[in-house]
């Protein structure tokens, strides 16, 4: 869902651009969780992968291909590698849990990363083209410890 706010001080149908998902209810009030920001793009070579496309590919890979739950993630584009290779790539830091809610604490397998790469290609034809032409390196997925993103948020709030 995208939040649209109207208030008594003059904001009418104000779109924040934040897309949220409903994860439950407390009484009749929905409990929402931030999903992604509308209008944001990853753009390593001009392929412009939307944050929505990235989120959909990643959440589908987590739930359908990996049998895991996606708690949080962040993604960056890397353009230059210290090894001298110049093919850009997406690096995604993910916080995952097993389906039973227990911590996920192992590196991703090549099969799991390939599943996400295929979903990104399906979400964005230019990503697929650049991957086929070997101009864009395969996505890198780095799992982080449970609670990492919450700790980062607390530190950011603390530092102002």
């Amino acid at each position: 869902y995208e939040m649209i706010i109207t208030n008594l001080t003059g904001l009418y149908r104000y779109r924040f651009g934040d897309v949220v998902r409903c994860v439950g209810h407390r009484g009749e009030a929905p409990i929402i969780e931030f999903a992604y920001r509308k209008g944001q793009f990853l753009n390593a070579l001009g392929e412009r992968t939307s944050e929505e496309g990235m989120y959909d590919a990643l959440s589908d890979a987590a739930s359908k291909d990996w049998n895991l739950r996606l708690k949080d993630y962040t993604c960056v584009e890397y353009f230059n590698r210290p090894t001298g290779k110049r093919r850009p790539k997406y690096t995604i830091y993910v916080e995952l849990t097993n389906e039973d809610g227990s911590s996920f604490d192992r590196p991703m397998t090549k099969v799991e990363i390939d599943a996400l790469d295929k979903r990104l290609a399906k979400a964005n034809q230019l990503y697929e083209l650049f991957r086929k032409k070997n101009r864009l390196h395969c996505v890198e997925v780095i799992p982080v410890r449970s609670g990492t993103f919450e700790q980062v948020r607390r530190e950011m709030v603390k530092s102002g």
Side-chain angles (χ1 to χ4, degrees), residues 39-50:
Q40 299 290 333
F41 294 91
L42 294 165
N43 193 17
L45 286 172
E47 76 287 355
R48 293 182 48 92
T49 300
S50 71

Side-chain angles (χ1 to χ4, degrees), residues 106-130:
R106 65 167 175 78
M108 303 302 294
T109 66
K110 180 173 179 357
V111 169
E112 290 167 331
I113 292 169
D114 287 345
L116 174 58
D117 195 53
K118 286 178 184 159
R119 288 187 180 276
L120 286 169
K122 186 176 179 185
N124 182 336
Q125 291 177 339
L126 281 176
Y127 178 92
E128 179 181 33
L129 177 68
F130 290 149

Side-chain angles (χ1 to χ4, degrees), residues 71-72 95-97 103 144-154:
K71 284 183 68 179
D72 211 339
E95 190 172 325
L96 301 161
T97 61
S103 292
V144 298
R145 285 190 321 255
S146 185
T148 297
F149 287 102
E150 184 56 37
Q151 183 180 357
V152 169
R153 279 189 279 280
R154 279 195 305 265

Side-chain angles (χ1 to χ4, degrees), residues 13-86:
R13 294 183 304 271
Y14 182 78
R15 298 174 74 178
F16 280 91
D18 292 342
V19 177
V20 297
R21 61 182 162 260
C22 181
V23 295
H25 289 83
R26 180 163 289 144
E28 291 185 24
I31 299 171
I32 60 171
E33 183 175 277
F34 177 80
Y36 58 87
R37 181 104 178 127
K38 203 167 183 84
Q40 299 290 333
F41 294 91
L42 294 165
N43 193 17
L45 286 172
E47 76 287 355
R48 293 182 48 92
T49 300
S50 71
E51 190 166 345
E52 179 180 11
M54 171 59 75
Y55 172 77
D56 289 346
L58 183 57
S59 61
D60 284 350
S63 64
K64 296 174 183 172
D65 301 323
W66 306 341
N67 296 317
L68 297 168
R69 291 184 187 158
L70 176 65
K71 284 183 68 179
D72 211 339
Y73 76 99
T74 191
C75 183
V76 294
E77 311 108 318
Y78 280 119
F79 299 98
N80 294 316
R81 308 270 334 260
T83 59
K85 295 180 183 174
R86 291 188 138 342

